[in-house]
Amino acid sequence: MANNIGYLSGAMHYAFIFENTKDKFDRYSMVMTLEGDQVGAARNMGLKINQNPEKFNGLPYVSLKSSFPPKLLNADKTDYSGPTRLAFGSKCVAKISQRPYDNKFGKGITTFLSAVMITDPVEYVPEGQKDNNDFADAPAPSSKSSSAAAPTSSASKGKKQAASSGIGF
């Protein structure tokens, strides 16, 4: 079998596809939920299709990954220029490359994510940060002390130690 290229379209979740954003396994990866004929297309590529009623509203999904950063494109096929923190459900088309291997560990086909065209990006904005002014209602700092007030109750002794040691935030 020669190298094979395929395309899947769907909604992106857990997108670790941008430069300097890798998953916990030090890879570029994303989960893509599939609908309609895309499930059959993934099956024809030999991809493992997962489905769990408690994840992604019960939609079937595939996990895609690569050790190298995938090429990122806008819907007009120019280099991607949109937000890099994407919310669940951003629409995309993934270019998937497959190639055979035959080595001392066995034979098979390796599949990797080689490019992503982000057709409908939805920027992730953490709740409460819609105006990027988290401290608008915070009191002005006191001129008496430059450090934040530490907890005073005995129940918060651990928190006080953590705050004084620089741990936390």
Side-chain angles (χ1 to χ4, degrees):
M1 176 183 158
N3 290 355
N4 187 26
I5 304 286
Y7 297 89
L8 288 176
S9 61
M12 193 177 348
H13 305 269
Y14 303 112
F16 293 98
I17 56 174
F18 298 99
E19 197 65 38
N20 301 320
T21 58
K22 293 183 179 180
D23 64 15
K24 65 182 181 179
F25 301 107
D26 199 32
R27 297 179 307 208
Y28 296 93
S29 66
M30 69 179 205
V31 171
M32 177 185 278
T33 52
L34 307 170
E35 295 186 65
D37 63 344
Q38 295 303 296
V39 175
R43 189 172 288 117
N44 289 342
M45 285 187 244
L47 299 179
K48 179 181 178 191
I49 301 169
N50 302 291
Q51 192 165 11
N52 181 333
E54 296 179 19
K55 291 183 177 180
F56 312 117
N57 294 323
L59 290 172
Y61 64 94
V62 294
S63 296
L64 304 169
K65 61 188 180 279
S66 176
S67 297
F68 301 99
K71 181 158 182 62
L72 302 174
L73 303 169
N74 291 310
D76 63 1
K77 299 182 183 173
T78 58
D79 287 342
Y80 183 70
S81 59
T84 57
R85 292 180 67 187
L86 298 176
F88 283 4
S90 294
K91 304 290 184 203
C92 70
V93 177
K95 180 180 179 182
I96 299 157
S97 300
Q98 296 179 308
R99 73 175 159 237
Y101 64 88
D102 183 0
N103 59 34
K104 66 181 181 181
F105 301 108
K107 290 174 117 174
I109 297 173
T110 186
T111 300
F112 57 94
L113 179 65
S114 58
V116 180
M117 182 169 52
I118 303 168
T119 57
D120 186 15
V122 179
E123 183 174 15
Y124 171 73
V125 179
E127 194 171 319
Q129 291 186 1
K130 299 206 183 319
D131 61 2
N132 253 353
N133 196 358
D134 290 343
F135 295 95
D137 299 328
S142 169
S143 60
K144 292 180 184 179
S145 170
S146 62
S147 64
T152 56
S153 74
S154 61
S156 62
K157 184 177 180 182
K159 289 181 185 175
K160 185 174 182 178
Q161 288 172 340
S164 66
S165 67
I167 300 172
F169 124 120

